[in-house]
Amino acid sequence: MSVHLEAAPGSIAPIVLLPGDPLRAEFIAQRYLQDAVCHNRVRNALGFTGTYQGTRVSVQSTGMGMPSCAIYVQELLAQYGARMLIRIGTCGAIRAELRTRDLVLAQAASTNSAMFDATFGGATFAAAASYDLLSRAHRLATERGAPTHVGTVLTSDRFYPDETTLSTWWNPWAEHGVLAAEMETAALYTLAARRNARSLSILTVSDNLVTGEQTTSEERQTGFGDMALLALDVAVGATHTR
Ligand code: HPA
């Protein structure tokens, strides 16, 4: 038991998939895991543990944004011995050439958050994915024919920008090659790095802020299933490589 997770010690696997939405955690457990058991209901942050192709895997919802995500990631790492954390979520593309439903593999995450300012004395930390997970995800996604982009993301504290900067706030980021905005990855990569655990964010483009293109909820659900399967295949393949 930790502050926000009621799971018994040892009942969460070293591999954990991290969707934001609790119902998506339940969907993965029901659809893709064998013998899945619910290990957490505290705050409705649903979490499940089962097996995928014979390997124990957990899926734990994190809520939205870095503060919520960091609580679960920290407790999974420090109290439950998580060694591989793969976020599966959505992002808003900030470059016109990205299409909705494309995959973004977050190589590294910049952030506009002050969350880790004190940790690094105000300097910036390059929050980066684990290369073996990133390269494996890229290879598998490409083999499956999924349009896939590898690049940097912006982990933002805000989903809704100020009205005055509505159509321009992303320009400095896009001009530095950043592909998309989301709200969790920088915390995941920073906390995983601190404990020498592996981490990756696999994201589906749910909307394009430049072109205004948006996915339907049906497209989001199908895209989510494909992304969950990719994350599971990356995880179980990678367990044997380190
Ligand atoms: N901003 C932040 N997070 C997101 C977005 C966005 O536009 N779209 C999906 N997740």
Side-chain angles (χ1 to χ4, degrees), residues 13-17 32-34 50-58 84-86 132-133 136-137 139-140 144 198 202 228-242:
I15 297 172
V16 190
L17 265 52
Y32 302 121
L33 300 187
Q34 280 80 54
T51 61
Y52 178 75
Q53 296 179 355
T55 301
R56 274 184 88 220
V57 175
S58 294
M84 187 196 297
L85 296 157
I86 303 183
D132 68 323
L133 299 185
R136 185 173 295 272
R139 182 167 56 73
L140 290 182
R144 288 169 193 195
R198 288 186 280 178
I202 301 176
L229 268 183
L230 175 66
L232 287 166
D233 289 329
V234 168
V236 301
T239 49
H240 309 296
T241 61
R242 190 166 117 176

Side-chain angles (χ1 to χ4, degrees), residues 15 21 36 47-48 75 96 98 102 134 141 166 228 235 239:
I15 297 172
D21 180 350
F48 301 83
E75 292 181 20
L98 272 70
D102 286 3
L134 179 66
L166 214 51
T239 49

Side-chain angles (χ1 to χ4, degrees), residues 17 41 74 77 95 99 132 135 143 152 155 157 171 174 198 216 221 226 228 234:
L17 265 52
R41 288 189 190 280
Q74 174 68 19
L77 287 164
R95 296 174 65 94
R99 307 299 309 271
D132 68 323
S135 59
E143 280 169 13
T152 56
T155 301
D157 264 349
N171 283 346
R198 288 186 280 178
T216 62
Q221 191 60 32
D226 294 346
V234 168

Side-chain angles (χ1 to χ4, degrees), residues 81-174:
R83 300 304 301 148
M84 187 196 297
L85 296 157
I86 303 183
R87 161 164 153 72
I88 42 179
T90 57
C91 62
I94 59 171
R95 296 174 65 94
E97 67 270 23
L98 272 70
R99 307 299 309 271
T100 53
R101 299 209 51 192
D102 286 3
L103 281 182
V104 171
L105 305 177
Q107 184 173 12
S110 297
T111 186
N112 55 19
S113 164
M115 196 165 157
F116 295 105
D117 279 5
T119 309
F120 299 106
T124 53
F125 169 72
S130 301
Y131 181 72
D132 68 323
L133 299 185
L134 179 66
S135 59
R136 185 173 295 272
H138 184 238
R139 182 167 56 73
L140 290 182
T142 308
E143 280 169 13
R144 288 169 193 195
T148 305
H149 310 265
V150 177
T152 56
V153 299
L154 169 69
T155 301
S156 177
D157 264 349
R158 302 176 60 170
F159 186 89
Y160 296 108
D162 288 327
E163 308 250 311
T164 47
T165 60
L166 214 51
S167 59
T168 55
W169 70 261
W170 59 79
N171 283 346
W173 302 101

